[in-house]
Amino acid sequence: MNISLEKILPADFSNRSRVWIYQSSRLLSMQEALTLEQLFADFVQNWKSHGTPVKGYANLIFGQFIVIMADESQAEVSGCSTDYSVHFIKQIEKQFNIQLFDRQMLAFFIKEKVELLPLSQIEYAIEKGFISEETIYFNNLVYTKQELLENWMIPAGKSWLGKRYFKTETSHS
């Protein structure tokens, strides 16, 4: 995968901009992606926090991840504006018949494409060599634009999976 997020994300957004990533249960088609473009434009145009427009961004990345970003340097995102974005994502789930809130499905970049794997199958996948410490893992819990740029796509061994599943043995003298 040779894609630079810097070219996709808006340069005029603060690196401290809040980020939400929603992982789709399947790859979306080109037609669905085109439909989403208009939905994203409408969402961003109407996104407000206590009546003040939110400087927002929404995009589909790799055909499988919806990234929503709010630059809070102009208006902080309130509970109501967060609820509005969650409601928007739930509408997308219904319209496209996908799941966007399943945190038990983990995403990896394997053989030049995004692969989803249930958390319950991680140990098996490691044991069989499908996933290694170097396999790229999508860390959807990043919180800011800076974290998205630096820590979204990371080797599995450098994520929380490293501590839990890739325990390296240390020699004892």
Side-chain angles (χ1 to χ4, degrees), residues 167-173:
K167 297 176 182 133
T168 53
E169 303 212 10
T170 55
S171 58
H172 298 284
S173 320

Side-chain angles (χ1 to χ4, degrees), residues 95-142:
Q95 183 173 343
F96 294 90
N97 194 26
I98 56 176
Q99 294 176 1
L100 293 166
F101 290 95
D102 186 354
R103 302 291 184 219
Q104 295 298 306
M105 291 299 284
L106 306 181
F108 297 89
F109 190 68
I110 301 172
K111 295 182 182 176
E112 301 297 315
K113 66 180 204 172
V114 175
E115 295 285 352
L116 299 181
L117 191 65
L119 179 60
S120 62
Q121 293 180 11
I122 293 295
E123 286 185 61
Y124 177 82
I126 292 168
E127 182 182 303
K128 297 297 182 188
F130 298 123
I131 295 173
S132 72
E133 290 182 71
E134 292 80 37
T135 303
I136 297 299
Y137 167 69
F138 289 90
N139 175 22
N140 294 329
L141 299 178
V142 294

Side-chain angles (χ1 to χ4, degrees), residues 30-94:
M30 185 59 73
Q31 184 59 46
E32 289 170 322
L34 293 171
T35 302
L36 276 172
E37 273 188 31
Q38 186 57 53
L39 294 174
F40 291 155
D42 294 343
F43 165 76
V44 169
Q45 184 176 359
N46 295 306
W47 199 11
K48 293 183 176 30
S49 179
H50 298 293
T52 303
V54 171
K55 183 179 178 183
Y57 165 86
N59 200 354
L60 179 67
I61 299 179
F62 304 133
Q64 201 141 1
F65 301 93
I66 294 175
V67 175
I68 294 178
M69 189 178 334
D71 187 338
E72 295 184 303
S73 60
Q74 296 174 355
E76 287 200 23
V77 175
S78 65
C80 291
S81 51
T82 301
D83 289 347
Y84 178 72
S85 69
V86 170
H87 179 72
F88 171 66
I89 293 297
K90 286 182 178 182
Q91 284 181 310
I92 290 173
E93 277 188 318
K94 284 182 186 168

